[in-house]
Amino acid sequence: MISEYIDLDMINKKYPNLIYDSNKNTISGSIKICKNCNDEIISGCYDLLIDFNKSSIPYVYDVGKKIKRNYEHCYSDRRLCLATDIEQLLFIRDTKSICLWIEKYVESYYISYEYFQKYAIYPFGQYSHGNQGIAEFYKKYFNLNNEENSLNIIKYIFFNTYRGHNLCPCGSNKKIRNCHGNIIIKCKQDPNYNLLIKDFRRWFNDKK
Ligand SMILES: [Zn+2]
């Protein structure tokens, strides 16, 4: 479960106003940001709730109601749209740290929000929602410039037995073992494979 990666010591040190409730399996409180962003000091303080029970990734809610209603990266139930599920899941699994996840996704979210309110552009570039976001993530993850080819890798991971001498599904004309072999094996052997499947499926069904 994702809550096993709650590194409380680190979180307490870095975010002293966040409190973990072990009964509810949530983190609540406030978070202060103060970052230099394109030579501009962006600062603010936000009340939030991080819920570890909702999904395979933590859900973050804007309980302080500071995020404007018309901001596109916030759902109607006030959940923050931080990035695609798959990207966050892989990040948490790789770093094994909710503290680093807060820094990378939650802090950046607020910085991005403040910056957007001032300049109407996103400081770290715009990311897409839903399936388009997933497709873009996989392109980056497999280091490809083509959405179709990364879909072929996903299909291979889903439906094929790994054979190193097969041609790589990415379309490079190289053998898998000399191309995307390692990352394909890593995905197939992933202990959280079942958690990855949700995003895979969603995207795959959309593309079929
Ligand atoms: Zn390849």
Side-chain angles (χ1 to χ4, degrees):
M1 280 278 53
I2 212 74
S3 47
E4 74 192 66
Y5 299 129
I6 299 173
D7 38 358
L8 264 190
D9 287 352
M10 255 178 88
I11 293 171
N12 288 336
K13 229 181 264 171
K14 198 164 158 48
Y15 305 105
N17 299 320
L18 290 182
I19 294 155
Y20 177 61
D21 183 329
S22 58
N23 292 323
K24 290 183 185 159
N25 198 24
T26 59
I27 287 176
S28 61
S30 64
I31 190 170
K32 276 191 184 130
I33 57 153
C34 187
K35 279 251 162 83
N36 188 323
C37 184
N38 300 338
D39 288 329
E40 172 95 18
I41 301 296
I42 300 287
S43 62
C45 184
Y46 308 87
D47 293 325
L48 51 83
L49 173 80
I50 306 174
D51 193 331
F52 295 89
N53 309 298
K54 294 274 167 77
S55 178
S56 52
I57 56 156
Y59 278 7
V60 184
Y61 296 91
D62 167 42
V63 296
K65 298 188 176 170
K66 270 209 175 161
I67 304 299
K68 286 186 182 158
R69 272 292 185 202
N70 60 359
Y71 188 60
E72 61 175 325
H73 295 297
C74 188
Y75 300 107
S76 56
D77 63 353
R78 297 219 154 266
R79 178 159 74 88
L80 309 183
C81 175
L82 302 173
T84 61
D85 289 9
I86 191 83
E87 177 177 344
Q88 294 179 72
L89 181 65
L90 291 172
F91 179 87
I92 294 168
R93 197 205 52 197
D94 288 347
T95 61
K96 300 180 172 43
S97 168
I98 292 299
C99 189
L100 290 175
W101 167 82
I102 294 173
E103 183 183 12
K104 181 169 168 75
Y105 292 100
V106 184
E107 276 203 48
S108 302
Y109 179 93
Y110 290 126
I111 292 164
S112 205
Y113 173 75
E114 290 296 340
Y115 197 88
F116 187 82
Q117 295 310 308
K118 268 188 160 170
Y119 301 107
I121 52 162
Y122 292 101
F124 316 119
Q126 171 69 304
Y127 64 91
S128 308
H129 293 277
N131 288 340
Q132 190 53 36
I134 294 170
E136 281 167 19
F137 169 73
Y138 278 125
K139 260 184 2 192
K140 237 183 359 191
Y141 189 63
F142 295 130
N143 197 17
L144 293 169
N145 48 24
N146 178 320
E147 192 179 306
E148 209 52 42
N149 290 342
S150 44
L151 178 67
N152 287 335
I153 295 185
I154 307 287
K155 279 190 207 160
Y156 189 90
I157 292 168
F158 256 147
F159 300 117
N160 294 68
T161 306
Y162 179 82
R163 305 237 186 272
H165 59 272
N166 286 166
L167 284 181
C168 190
C170 78
S172 64
N173 275 326
K174 290 187 207 162
K175 288 179 179 170
I176 295 187
R177 68 165 78 95
N178 300 323
C179 197
H180 283 87
N182 287 340
I183 202 161
I184 288 171
I185 291 170
K186 193 178 145 198
C187 288
K188 271 184 168 302
Q189 294 177 341
D190 197 313
N192 290 319
Y193 183 68
N194 56 336
L195 299 182
L196 299 178
I197 283 176
K198 195 183 81 181
D199 262 356
F200 278 145
R201 279 257 153 82
R202 208 168 90 188
W203 186 38
F204 181 72
N205 287 335
D206 187 59
K207 286 276 149 195
K208 243 184 337 203

